[in-house]
Amino acid sequence: MTKPALKLYLAAPRGFCAGVDRAVRIVEMAIEKWGAPVYVRHEIVHNKFVVDGLRAKGAIFVEELEECPDDRPVVFSAHGVPKSVPAEAARREMIAVDATCPLVSKVHIEMTRHHAEGRHIYLIGHAGHIEVVGSMGQLPPGAVTLVDSPADVAALPEPADRAKLAFATQTTLSVDDAAATIDALRARFPEIAGPHREDVCYATTNRQAAVKAVAPKIQALIVIGAPNSSNSLRLVEVGRRAGCAYAQLAPRASDIDWRALEGVSAVGVTAGASAPEELVNEVIDAFRARYEVEVEMVETAREDVEFKTPRILRI
């Protein structure tokens, strides 16, 4: 039986970003340096395949520092942690390695600077997300107000001093949603201070731009990524808003809903920033098993960013 023809558009950039690559290497280097087990507070990145691979090498993933013994190294995840966590690790004289993405650390530094200058900070982000918890935990309670949308901005109480306000954002938001909320803050508080460059990271921005470029060419979009990955979920939303009739999040090829793809002739594939290229190849192979596939790359940017690992791992 002849397989149906299918055009597969691969979005680029896709998959691992520099911050994720660095975080994974940090765990691997820690295991090489100190042996197993090495404890990791929270999933190092939001991808089960990656986490399971590190677990097989000797990483033990926990949610809180109190689950870690004093005599084994602990790695803090790429999403960042509240200041109280490294402080407690230091009190316990633990070996602690910070895998916080440098672009998240940049947000922490900005917020700390604004706080030192007496400003109240509005953090644009999603309540409960681990990155937001870490960012808000950089400052004392009450110093930061979380806002998620222009509607949240409209509902904010009048601040004590309109001249002493600033904003920052979660790094993995929808670029368009973040821009709308920033515009709402600036419209209501014209004197509000913001970052010198927007906080939504380069990788999030680039992957969303690639999806927007692919969307007009396709009938369906597959986003390879975990259901707890903010940047992956945003790619699904961006695809739908860009006109893609069907967009699905799929952690693995085995999670693809093939019935939903019946009759389509053009499909886009991308991957969230914590999904390795191995999973992209797995999805392409799954399509080739079912279709006569022609692959075309749609590249909107090239990335050459690389972040150094902490010095403690290099000495």
Side-chain angles (χ1 to χ4, degrees):
M1 184 173 163
T2 305
K3 291 187 285 188
L6 182 80
K7 188 74 173 283
L8 207 59
Y9 291 93
L10 288 185
R14 64 180 177 276
F16 267 19
C17 63
V20 166
D21 182 67
R22 173 181 180 268
V24 172
R25 282 189 291 122
I26 284 172
V27 177
E28 292 172 338
M29 291 171 71
I31 294 169
E32 288 173 11
K33 178 164 183 169
W34 292 295
V38 165
Y39 285 75
V40 184
R41 186 188 179 277
H42 195 71
E43 290 186 348
I44 187 69
V45 296
H46 284 157
N47 188 278
K48 184 179 184 299
F49 180 82
V50 173
V51 168
D52 286 348
L54 292 172
R55 187 179 284 118
K57 294 178 180 180
I60 295 178
F61 293 89
V62 299
E63 285 304 305
E64 299 297 341
L65 196 65
E66 63 192 33
E67 301 172 63
C68 304
D70 291 350
D71 61 349
R72 294 306 304 164
V74 60
V75 178
F76 304 141
S77 81
H79 312 93
V81 295
K83 271 190 172 180
S84 58
V85 175
E88 175 61 12
R91 188 193 68 78
R92 290 170 56 185
E93 299 182 344
M94 301 173 73
I95 296 173
V97 186
D98 190 1
T100 302
C101 174
L103 298 179
V104 175
S105 295
K106 179 179 81 73
V107 175
H108 293 178
I109 292 166
E110 289 169 354
M111 292 174 64
T112 301
R113 174 175 56 83
H114 287 310
H115 179 67
E117 293 170 352
R119 294 187 175 94
H120 183 80
I121 298 154
Y122 297 113
L123 177 64
I124 303 168
H126 300 309
H129 188 276
I130 190 69
E131 181 188 326
V132 168
V133 172
S135 293
M136 294 188 73
Q138 300 304 301
L139 299 175
V144 184
T145 299
L146 185 65
V147 292
D148 192 9
S149 65
D152 285 352
V153 174
L156 288 171
E158 186 63 21
D161 187 349
R162 283 176 150 261
K164 287 289 186 178
L165 301 174
F167 72 86
T169 76
Q170 183 181 335
T171 63
T172 54
L173 299 177
S174 156
V175 174
D176 295 335
D177 287 349
T181 305
I182 290 168
D183 287 346
L185 281 169
R186 286 179 166 151
R188 183 167 174 192
F189 309 119
E191 296 180 59
I192 194 168
H196 298 301
R197 296 181 63 183
E198 299 302 341
D199 289 333
V200 176
C201 84
Y202 79 93
T204 298
T205 301
N206 288 347
R207 279 148 192 72
Q208 291 179 19
V211 165
K212 289 177 182 178
V214 167
K217 306 174 185 289
I218 60 177
Q219 297 154 293
L221 174 70
I222 303 298
V223 177
I224 305 163
N228 60 340
S229 166
S230 175
N231 75 85
S232 300
L233 294 170
R234 301 295 82 76
L235 289 173
V236 174
E237 293 173 358
V238 167
R240 289 171 180 160
R241 291 178 184 177
C244 186
Y246 176 79
Q248 180 195 353
L249 183 74
R252 300 287 299 268
S254 57
D255 298 301
I256 294 173
D257 182 357
W258 298 103
R259 290 173 300 178
L261 301 179
E262 288 177 4
V264 303
S265 57
V267 175
V269 174
T270 188
S274 50
E277 191 66 10
E278 186 175 348
L279 297 186
V280 176
N281 293 332
E282 179 185 274
V283 166
I284 294 171
D285 289 343
F287 272 100
R288 284 187 166 134
R290 293 166 173 81
Y291 297 89
E292 202 63 51
V293 172
E294 178 188 353
V295 177
E296 181 176 322
M297 189 85 73
V298 178
E299 185 177 63
T300 55
R302 294 200 174 185
E303 296 175 350
D304 56 3
V305 179
E306 186 174 344
F307 296 131
K308 286 184 179 179
T309 52
R311 188 170 180 274
I312 191 174
L313 296 171
R314 294 183 273 116
I315 56 175

